[in-house]
Amino acid sequence: MSQTQPGRVILAGTPIGDRRSASPALIETLRDARIIAAEDTRRLRDLLRRLDVETSARVVSYFEGNESARTPELMEYLLDGIDVVVVTDAGMPSVSDPGYRLVTAAIEHDVVVTSVPGPTAVTTALAISGMPTDRFCFEGFLPRKSGERCRRLSALAEEPRTIVLYEAPHRLADLLHDAAEIMGADRRAAVCRELTKTYEEVRRGGLAQLAEWALDNARGEITVVIAGAKGHAVSLEEAVEMVTDLIDDGIKPSKAVAQVARGANIDRHTLYDAVQNASAAQEES
C-alpha cells in the first residue's frame, strides 16, 4: 500500500494595492487551488473578482484569532496530499501576518513549504524611502503600550542599519513622537502610506517633523523607515587598531579591512594602505 504524498504549503503574495501587481503565477495558483486559507475571506473574494479569477477552492478563514486552532485542520489536508494556499489581505503571508504557525507545523511534519513571491511593503518602502538599503532590519509592529514601545525604541536607538516598521494610522503620531524623543528629533525617516495605491504618499523628514505631520494626516496602510544610527566617528588610527585586533583573532586581512571600513565608513583602499604601512613600521622597529 503506497503512502500518500503530502501536499504543499504555498505562501501566495497578494498585491499590496494595485491589482496589476498580481503575477500570472498567483492567478494560476488561486484558480487551481483546492484549499485557500485566507486572512479575510471577504477581501479574498473581492481580490478574485478584481482579478477576474474563478476558483472552486474551499476558502477558510485563517487569521490571528483562529490561527492556532485552525492549523491542525490545515495540517490534515496537507497530510492527505492536498496543497494549502495561504493568502493575507496584502503582501506576503507570515511577514507580520498569519502563516508562520502553519509553516513551522509543516516543517515539523516534513511537508514542503514554497511560495508564489509577490509584493511586500517592507522592501517597497525601503527602496523608495531614500535611506541606505545595503543593510536593514525589519521590526514589524512595535508594542501598542507606550512603555513597552519606548523600551523597544531604546534598544533600536544605536542600531546602525536602516529600520523598517509597520504601524496603524491611529498610533503613528505616538510612535514618531516616542522615536523622536529617544532617537533624536532630527533623525531622518520616511512615512510611506498607501503604497502602490491611488493615493500613495511618501513623507520624508526628521522624526519630530513627521510626528507633527502625522497628527492630522495618518491614513491608510503605513510603513515607517528610519535611518540607522551613525555612531561615533572612528579615526584612521583607531580603524587600523581594529583591523589588527581582527587579524590577531584569525580573520583574513582583506576581510578584516572590509569589515572595519564598512562599519567605520572609511575608504577600504585607504584603510588597507594604512594597515600595510603600520605593519611595515612595526617590522622596522
Side-chain angles (χ1 to χ4, degrees):
M1 184 174 179
S2 61
Q3 188 174 4
T4 302
Q5 181 73 22
R8 300 170 298 161
V9 175
I10 304 175
L11 304 175
T14 54
I16 58 177
D18 192 334
R19 65 178 175 80
R20 293 172 299 178
S21 300
S23 67
L26 172 65
I27 291 172
E28 180 181 333
T29 298
L30 294 173
R31 185 189 64 216
D32 298 342
R34 291 178 60 186
I35 301 291
I36 301 177
E39 183 178 11
D40 186 321
T41 58
R42 292 169 299 180
R43 290 200 181 190
L44 172 63
R45 298 293 184 192
D46 181 61
L47 176 64
L48 294 173
R49 177 187 59 76
R50 290 187 289 121
L51 296 178
D52 195 24
V53 172
E54 294 185 3
T55 182
S56 60
R58 181 187 173 209
V59 177
V60 299
S61 64
Y62 192 61
F63 61 98
E64 184 179 0
N66 73 355
E67 194 174 1
S68 295
R70 179 137 280 171
T71 295
E73 175 188 341
L74 296 177
M75 282 303 308
E76 289 183 15
Y77 286 116
L78 291 163
L79 295 176
D80 284 342
I82 301 173
D83 291 347
V84 174
V85 179
V86 182
V87 296
T88 58
D89 293 347
M92 282 300 296
S94 86
V95 180
S96 286
D97 276 321
Y100 178 74
R101 286 186 176 88
L102 184 58
V103 168
T104 55
I107 292 171
E108 289 176 1
H109 288 83
D110 292 325
V111 169
V112 171
V113 179
T114 186
S115 74
V116 179
T120 170
V122 179
T123 51
T124 302
L126 176 69
I128 66 177
S129 68
M131 307 296 165
T133 59
D134 54 338
R135 298 174 67 228
F136 73 95
C137 62
F138 174 58
E139 290 289 320
F141 287 93
L142 295 191
R144 298 181 181 186
K145 294 182 179 179
S146 179
E148 295 176 10
R149 182 171 60 240
C150 286
R151 281 191 286 274
R152 285 280 294 278
L153 287 169
S154 295
L156 291 169
E158 299 303 319
E159 170 59 61
R161 296 171 295 178
T162 301
I163 302 163
V164 185
L165 309 168
Y166 287 159
E167 189 53 280
H170 63 280
R171 292 195 298 269
L172 178 61
D174 290 337
L175 166 69
L176 293 170
H177 177 269
D178 289 344
E181 290 287 319
I182 293 168
M183 296 179 169
D186 296 327
R187 175 81 74 95
R188 289 192 307 132
V191 175
C192 308
R193 56 178 294 272
E194 297 293 86
L195 290 170
T196 78
K197 300 178 185 177
T198 302
Y199 298 105
E200 174 181 293
E201 181 180 14
V202 180
R203 299 288 297 196
R204 302 175 180 89
L207 286 168
Q209 176 189 359
L210 291 173
E212 185 70 23
W213 168 85
L215 288 172
D216 299 313
N217 295 281
R219 298 178 183 86
E221 301 287 336
I222 304 288
T223 307
V224 180
V225 185
I226 303 174
K230 291 183 178 179
H232 72 280
V234 176
S235 68
L236 184 59
E237 291 75 14
E238 290 175 320
V240 169
E241 290 181 10
M242 293 166 67
V243 170
T244 302
D245 289 341
L246 289 175
I247 294 173
D248 290 342
D249 289 339
I251 306 296
K252 291 183 179 180
S254 58
K255 212 173 231 187
V257 168
Q259 180 178 324
V260 173
R262 184 170 57 247
N265 197 25
I266 295 175
D267 179 74
R268 180 167 57 88
H269 299 292
T270 301
L271 179 55
Y272 183 82
D273 290 342
V275 170
Q276 292 291 91
N277 292 336
S279 178
Q282 188 175 13
E283 290 178 2
E284 292 176 1
S285 62

